Amino acid sequence: MEIKGKVFANLGIQKGVSKAGKEWEKATIVIETEGMYPQKVALDNLKNAQEFGKLTPGTPGIFHIELSSTEFNGRWYTNVTCWQWQILQSPTVGA
C-alpha cells in the first residue's frame, strides 16, 4: 500500500535492546496526506532508521507502508511501517 503526503513532523530515533539482547533503532515521522480531508499518520522505519530519521518537515513523498495489528491484554494496537519511500521534488516558486 502507498500513501502520498508531506512530512509534518520528525519524532526522531528511538534505540533499545530486545529480550534476545539485540540492539535496535526505530525512526518515526508523521506525514500529512493529500486530498480534501488530509490526515496525519505516524510512520515507523526499523531497517533504515538513520536515513528515514533525516526526513525534514515539508518534504513531499510517496511512502510504501505495511499495516499490522497486535493484541495485548485484550486491546489492539496498530503499527504503520514504512518499508520504502520516494522523495518528490517540491514545486519551484514562479515556475
Side-chain angles (χ1 to χ4, degrees):
M1 178 183 294
E2 69 180 39
I3 53 177
K4 189 174 180 181
K6 286 186 180 180
V7 177
F8 179 78
N10 184 324
L11 305 182
I13 296 177
Q14 296 176 338
K15 296 180 180 187
V17 179
S18 71
K19 289 181 183 179
K22 184 177 178 183
E23 292 185 12
W24 58 267
E25 60 183 13
K26 171 180 82 168
T28 303
I29 64 168
V30 178
I31 65 163
E32 184 171 48
T33 62
E34 297 181 337
M36 185 180 263
Y37 303 104
Q39 299 292 314
K40 292 180 180 71
V41 181
L43 308 177
D44 295 327
N45 182 284
L46 288 159
K47 292 190 177 186
N48 299 307
Q50 290 295 323
E51 187 178 341
F52 195 66
K54 292 179 183 177
L55 296 176
T56 57
T59 304
I62 298 173
F63 302 89
H64 299 267
I65 62 170
E66 181 176 273
L67 304 172
S68 63
S69 296
T70 55
E71 183 268 338
F72 180 74
N73 288 339
R75 297 198 61 184
W76 285 88
Y77 300 89
T78 299
N79 298 315
V80 183
T81 303
C82 180
W83 53 273
Q84 182 180 19
W85 64 95
Q86 175 187 358
I87 301 304
L88 302 176
Q89 295 297 319
S90 298
T92 307
V93 176

